[in-house]
Amino acid sequence: MKLVVAIIQDKDAPRILEALTQQGYRATKLASTGGFLRDGNTTLLLCVEDHEVDAVTETIGKLGKSREKLVTPMAPVGGPMDSYVPYPVEVVVGGATMFVSPVERFEKF
Ligand code: 2BA
């Protein structure tokens, strides 16, 4: 068995969850926050059989859309505030970031 952890954008979560549940997979949705943007995103946990990993990651990868976001960098700590001009910077947030790891034991009561 494998644990698929997928970090996706909030906007894509309903469509991805619907597709996964229609395909018969069980998923847990967690509200998460990106460390860089400090913006909300969604983390999905799916425990699946080894042979199901490719189908799951393909579905998530296909439905997760990458988007550009404008970020205004924070002023440097201790730096001169009068010369700091916060120009927005564009970052591309990926459609999905996924990690796959082995599950040693699966119990359900
Ligand atoms: P955030 O950490 O909020 O990052 C959002 C986007 O900002 C990233 O998109 C990337 O384009 C940019 N970014 C992140 N850290 C950066 C840095 N140090 N310098 C410059 N740009 C940076 P993605 O790479 O697609 O990541 C989307 C979200 O997936 C991340 O949100 C984070 O929540 C998660 N993530 C990505 N890589 C991860 C990792 N190695 N471990 C844990 N979570 C990860």
Side-chain angles (χ1 to χ4, degrees), residues 38-102:
R38 311 289 163 94
D39 205 5
N41 54 26
T42 295
T43 298
L44 299 181
L45 303 181
L46 295 102
C47 195
V48 296
E49 298 295 342
D50 289 17
H51 69 270
E52 295 172 324
V53 169
D54 287 347
V56 164
T57 53
E58 198 185 308
T59 297
I60 298 171
K62 218 163 51 188
L63 297 176
K65 304 250 177 298
S66 64
R67 296 181 180 86
E68 287 168 2
K69 281 203 176 175
L70 279 179
V71 192
T72 305
M74 305 276 283
V77 178
M81 283 303 290
D82 49 351
S83 60
Y84 173 68
V85 185
Y87 287 113
V89 180
E90 207 168 74
V91 293
V92 177
V93 184
T97 300
M98 292 183 258
F99 314 103
V100 179
S101 40

